[in-house]
């Protein structure tokens, strides 16, 4: 490994934070470039390895996600080229470039909406947050929650509908506000 400057420990910690923060976006990006492929996890692992080995080439303060997506794209191309030799059906490189460009933009938009969702969730009562988490993160059904909470399934369904509408309206307001500020 190259000799690193004395600030490398601090820089590596920041790099790890960036890499960790962008894992789900990298995963989603690779999936869009390799739809239905069972090798997405392998390509993500190779991408992470390349990112780690090339971390000194990255300048803190620049767009990490764009840099990481570019490296992921090259890893996908390498993987597809290897599989082409194994006679798998793969995308042509021009099509892959188009998908890569469009999926990056779509992921940026969805990342913003997720941060808005998080912000809007924080505005709800603890009870409403608990209901939403149970409904969307639990493997149990609504009848079990109804029994635990002493409420009917129909009243919980109405509450969930009301909460989804409130969250959608809150997210739309935030998107509109962002549009006015841009």
């Amino acid at each position: 490994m190259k000799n690193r400057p004395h600030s490398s420990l601090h820089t590596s910690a920041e790099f790890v934070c960036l890499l960790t923060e962008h894992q789900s976006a990298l995963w989603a990006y690779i999936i869009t470039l390799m739809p239905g492929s069972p090798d997405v996890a392998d390509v993500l692992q190779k991408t992470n390895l390349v990112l780690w080995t090339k971390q000194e080439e990255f300048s803190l303060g620049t767009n990490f996600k764009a840099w990481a997506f570019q490296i992921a794209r090259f890893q996908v191309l390498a993987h597809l080229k290897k599989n082409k030799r194994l006679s798998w059906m793969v995308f042509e490189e021009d099509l892959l470039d188009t998908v890569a460009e469009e999926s990056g933009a779509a992921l940026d938009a969805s990342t913003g909406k997720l941060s808005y969702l998080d912000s809007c969730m924080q505005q709800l009562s603890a009870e409403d947050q608990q209901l939403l988490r149970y409904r969307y993160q639990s493997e149990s059904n609504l009848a079990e929650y109804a029994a635990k909470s002493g409420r009917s399934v129909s009243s919980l369904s109405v509450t969930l509908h009301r909460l989804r509408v409130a969250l959608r309206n809150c997210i739309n307001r935030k998107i509109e506000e962002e549009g006015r500020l841009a």
Side-chain angles (χ1 to χ4, degrees):
M1 184 172 264
K2 297 177 185 176
N3 288 337
R4 293 183 172 194
H6 67 298
S7 65
S8 66
L9 189 58
H10 179 66
T11 303
S12 286
E14 290 174 308
F15 188 84
V16 168
C17 287
L18 287 169
L19 187 59
T20 304
E21 176 185 338
H22 291 88
Q23 279 303 286
S24 59
L26 274 168
W27 178 265
Y29 181 71
I30 293 169
I31 286 173
T32 63
L33 299 179
M34 301 173 59
S37 174
D39 300 325
V40 170
D42 292 337
V43 173
L44 177 62
Q45 185 175 5
K46 287 177 186 171
T47 300
N48 284 329
L49 182 61
V50 172
L51 289 168
W52 183 258
T53 59
K54 293 186 174 209
Q55 70 178 293
E56 290 180 1
E57 296 176 20
F58 176 71
S59 300
L60 288 172
T62 61
N63 189 340
F64 179 84
K65 189 159 110 177
W67 180 70
F69 277 18
Q70 188 67 16
I71 289 174
R73 182 180 159 277
F74 286 128
Q75 291 305 305
V76 169
L77 286 170
H79 179 79
L80 294 176
K81 186 180 279 188
K82 175 184 160 199
N83 285 341
K84 192 173 191 178
R85 279 185 263 139
L86 299 174
S87 72
W88 284 35
M89 187 176 122
V90 296
F91 291 136
E92 290 296 321
E93 192 168 336
D94 291 344
L95 177 58
L96 184 67
D97 289 343
T98 302
V99 170
E101 186 178 310
E102 291 179 10
S103 63
L107 285 170
D108 285 342
S110 64
T111 301
K113 288 180 183 177
L114 284 174
S115 68
Y116 295 153
L117 174 60
D118 187 49
S119 172
C120 292
M121 282 283 291
Q122 298 305 315
Q123 296 174 16
L124 298 176
S125 71
E127 182 180 321
D128 287 343
Q129 289 180 35
Q130 182 181 8
L131 173 59
L132 285 165
R133 283 192 186 95
Y134 184 87
R135 171 63 182 93
Y136 294 107
Q137 295 176 351
S138 166
E139 301 210 4
S140 301
N141 61 35
L142 205 52
E144 291 176 33
Y145 189 81
K148 289 179 191 176
S149 66
R151 294 177 61 185
S152 69
V153 173
S154 61
S155 82
L156 290 175
S157 294
V158 169
T159 300
L160 282 168
H161 176 74
R162 179 185 55 79
L163 291 171
R164 284 191 295 264
V165 168
L167 288 171
R168 183 176 49 243
N169 290 340
C170 177
I171 291 167
N172 287 338
R173 274 193 310 275
K174 290 182 179 297
I175 290 170
E176 288 174 15
E177 288 171 12
E178 182 181 289
R180 283 187 292 242
L181 296 175

